[in-house]
Amino acid sequence: MVTHVDFDVLRKCAVDAMTRAYAPYSGFPVGASAITSEGELISAANVENVSYGLGLCAEVALVSVGVSRGALVEPSRVSGRRLVAVAVVDGDGRVLTPCGRCRQVLLEFGGPELMIDTVDGPRPLGELLPDAFGPADLDRVRGA
Ligand code: THU
């Protein structure tokens, strides 16, 4: 279980991933990296598309990489493998705070305790996405 997070390392991994971004339409490459609860480092970049709306943010790609590799598994379980900390950078290597959609996508695999790198230092996702839509909202209509 990860107890200490080196955000400098996470940022470097995000910069490395950013160099492989496919962003010919916006010219805005993005890299994202994360450490999981089991100590795995994962990273990804944004992948755009000629049909602009189909472009994938780096954070969405990151979650897909993590799930596909088995690094992120059933985070709702106590023993689940989850995101512990995330760093995102732009084409100049500057810290980028995830967009709103990405915050919701990250929440699924990190929960409100997930630490997100920001210009003010690491902050819990629960602060960046307060009152988030979650499983409890679904349970309410399902009568669970
Ligand atoms: N982008 C990300 O990858 N993550 C964000 O959090 C914000 C925006 C990408 C989407 C698009 O490929 C480019 O940055 C410009 O918006």
Side-chain angles (χ1 to χ4, degrees):
M1 182 68 187
V2 165
T3 50
H4 172 76
V5 177
D6 188 336
F7 277 90
D8 283 339
V9 169
L10 275 189
R11 266 178 234 134
K12 282 190 183 114
C13 288
V15 168
D16 180 59
M18 177 274 292
T19 64
R20 291 183 291 279
Y22 179 70
Y25 304 106
S26 70
F28 193 86
V30 179
S33 79
I35 184 102
T36 72
S37 48
E38 304 304 301
E40 276 193 71
L41 266 176
I42 52 176
S43 60
N46 56 337
V47 181
E48 297 185 346
N49 190 276
V50 63
S51 179
Y52 288 8
L54 300 184
L56 300 176
C57 282
E59 300 90 324
V60 175
L62 178 76
V63 166
S64 181
V65 164
V67 171
S68 305
R69 260 204 214 163
L72 302 175
V73 183
E74 291 200 73
S76 55
R77 287 199 184 181
V78 177
S79 60
R81 293 177 213 165
R82 60 182 63 237
L83 294 167
V84 169
V86 167
V88 185
V89 298
D90 67 13
D92 296 321
R94 279 189 297 244
V95 172
L96 200 67
T97 311
C99 75
R101 178 174 185 261
C102 289
R103 294 178 197 195
Q104 183 75 39
V105 170
L106 292 170
L107 183 72
E108 186 82 14
F109 285 91
E113 309 85 26
L114 169 62
M115 294 306 288
I116 306 280
D117 197 21
T118 80
V119 286
D120 300 321
R123 292 175 62 188
L125 181 55
E127 270 182 23
L128 301 173
L129 191 67
D131 303 325
F133 180 76
D137 294 295
L138 291 186
D139 290 346
R140 227 177 337 100
V141 292
R142 284 182 185 149

